[in-house]
Amino acid sequence: MLVNLKEILKNAEEGGYAIGCINTPNMATLRAVVDAAEEMQTPVIIDHAQVHDPLIPIELIGPKMVEYAKQAKVPVCVHLDHGSDYNFVMRALRCGFSSIMYDLSALPFEENAAKLKEFTKMAHALGITVEAELGIMTSTEDDTHGDGGGWTHETIKKTFTDPAQAAEFAEITGVDALAVCFGTAHGIYAEPPILDIDRVKAIRAAMPATTRVVMHGGSGVDEKQVQAAITAGCSKVNYYSYMAKACTKHMQEYLNEIKGNGFWHEVDEEAYRFMKEYAKDVLRMFKNGKTCKY
């Protein structure tokens, strides 16, 4: 069933678990994530990142995402990830996406807040939920999100979100979810991340109850820290890079094993099977030992 962020994240926070948000830039990944969610009996968020659009245009994958969500046996939110271009955001809405991350975090606080306030008012009138970002999430060198490189435990602290600013931003804009920075990064970590869990607690305590806290860069973070962040107030966790890398490694081993004695549809199906099992493990971690309500 197709849903937006609001209802599933409310249940998640009240239940002490988080909803996984996983990129689905091809059909194998889309099938794998939705099937994994059904088997784990948990809602899920499937999203299309603006940086993946050169790989597969949203007009091709978006309608498939919406179709899979509508037919799923669990609630599925179809979400735009890091949409920073207004025209691209409009393309997502035309495809039937039920939720939008309008990422203007590179702008000064006042401009970011003003534009998100205007956009959120319009989106809510259409029944669409909105996520924003405050603080610029660092990207590692092999990531596609942009800034790339220079990530260390010390430099990343400069990007951390201030709890008071988060509260002010949420009050001004009325966004449904806010991605905040507290030690994670996009991409593959050069060294194990150290999360500022106390900052998550402070952000959650400061913000309006109706604005949910979002953790980006969830892949590559150890399970103990992920679940501590969930318990502290993160009800949405984005995950993709490590799943994609793991599948690449698995498929390399698989192709070496079959030595070219196979067909492409068999190769594609093997990727689907691997990612589904991987996604099930991820969603199990996000359930935080709890039962999902829907």
Side-chain angles (χ1 to χ4, degrees):
M1 61 196 84
L2 177 65
V3 300
N4 60 34
L5 287 179
K6 191 171 183 179
E7 55 191 290
I8 57 174
L9 293 191
K10 179 179 184 294
N11 288 339
E13 183 168 336
E14 291 176 352
Y17 58 90
I19 306 298
C21 179
I22 304 176
N23 294 121
T24 55
N26 57 32
M27 287 303 299
T29 312
L30 174 57
R31 290 173 54 217
V33 173
V34 173
D35 288 353
E38 288 186 337
E39 291 188 22
M40 292 302 298
Q41 297 184 313
T42 176
V44 73
I45 302 160
I46 52 176
D47 66 352
H48 182 67
Q50 184 172 332
V51 294
H52 287 158
D53 208 57
L55 174 68
I56 182 167
I58 195 169
E59 286 79 12
L60 292 181
I61 193 66
K64 291 295 184 184
M65 294 168 67
V66 173
E67 178 185 342
Y68 267 71
K70 288 179 177 178
Q71 295 178 0
K73 298 173 184 176
V74 295
V76 179
C77 175
V78 181
H79 185 66
L80 180 66
D81 187 32
H82 290 282
S84 57
D85 177 79
Y86 187 77
N87 289 333
F88 188 78
V89 168
M90 291 298 103
R91 288 168 59 195
L93 291 178
R94 284 195 293 271
C95 287
F97 278 46
S98 56
S99 186
I100 299 290
M101 180 188 185
Y102 194 19
D103 183 4
L104 300 178
S105 57
L107 297 177
F109 178 91
E110 293 78 10
E111 189 175 357
N112 186 0
K115 290 188 174 183
L116 259 299
K117 178 181 179 179
E118 180 180 355
F119 178 77
T120 301
K121 183 178 180 180
M122 179 272 291
H124 282 177
L126 298 174
I128 306 297
T129 46
V130 179
E131 177 183 338
E133 182 171 310
L134 189 60
I136 301 176
M137 177 72 68
T138 300
S139 295
T140 57
E141 291 183 358
D142 59 352
D143 185 66
T144 55
H145 281 84
D147 57 0
W151 182 92
T152 69
H153 288 141
E154 290 305 312
T155 58
I156 200 173
K157 290 180 181 179
K158 298 176 183 178
T159 70
F160 281 9
T161 303
D162 176 76
Q165 273 203 332
E168 182 182 359
F169 186 90
E171 289 282 2
I172 292 172
T173 63
V175 293
D176 303 283
L178 185 63
V180 295
C181 304
F182 55 94
T184 58
H186 292 124
I188 306 300
Y189 292 100
E191 51 185 317
I194 300 173
L195 306 190
D196 187 344
I197 301 301
D198 287 339
R199 184 174 296 269
V200 179
K201 294 177 182 177
I203 291 170
R204 175 64 277 174
M207 287 206 309
T210 53
T211 304
R212 311 298 165 189
V213 180
V214 179
M215 171 182 172
H216 281 230
S219 68
V221 182
D222 64 274
E223 182 170 337
K224 184 177 179 181
Q225 288 195 93
V226 170
Q227 293 187 333
I230 293 170
T231 301
C234 289
S235 53
K236 174 178 178 282
V237 181
N238 284 38
Y239 195 108
Y240 182 67
S241 296
Y242 278 69
M243 177 176 165
K245 284 284 188 179
C247 189
T248 298
K249 182 180 178 181
H250 172 75
M251 293 309 297
Q252 182 179 31
E253 294 170 353
Y254 172 78
L255 291 171
N256 288 338
E257 184 179 311
I258 66 173
K259 298 179 180 179
N261 296 316
F263 295 94
W264 175 250
H265 59 267
E266 296 170 335
V267 174
D268 191 52
E269 195 67 11
E270 179 64 23
Y272 155 77
R273 286 194 293 267
F274 177 85
M275 287 188 289
K276 185 179 78 168
E277 293 306 312
Y278 196 110
K280 284 167 64 177
D281 287 339
V282 170
L283 296 177
R284 184 181 295 109
M285 173 171 60
F286 295 164
K287 288 178 78 170
N288 202 21
K290 307 296 193 301
T291 299
C292 298
K293 177 183 176 183
Y294 60 90

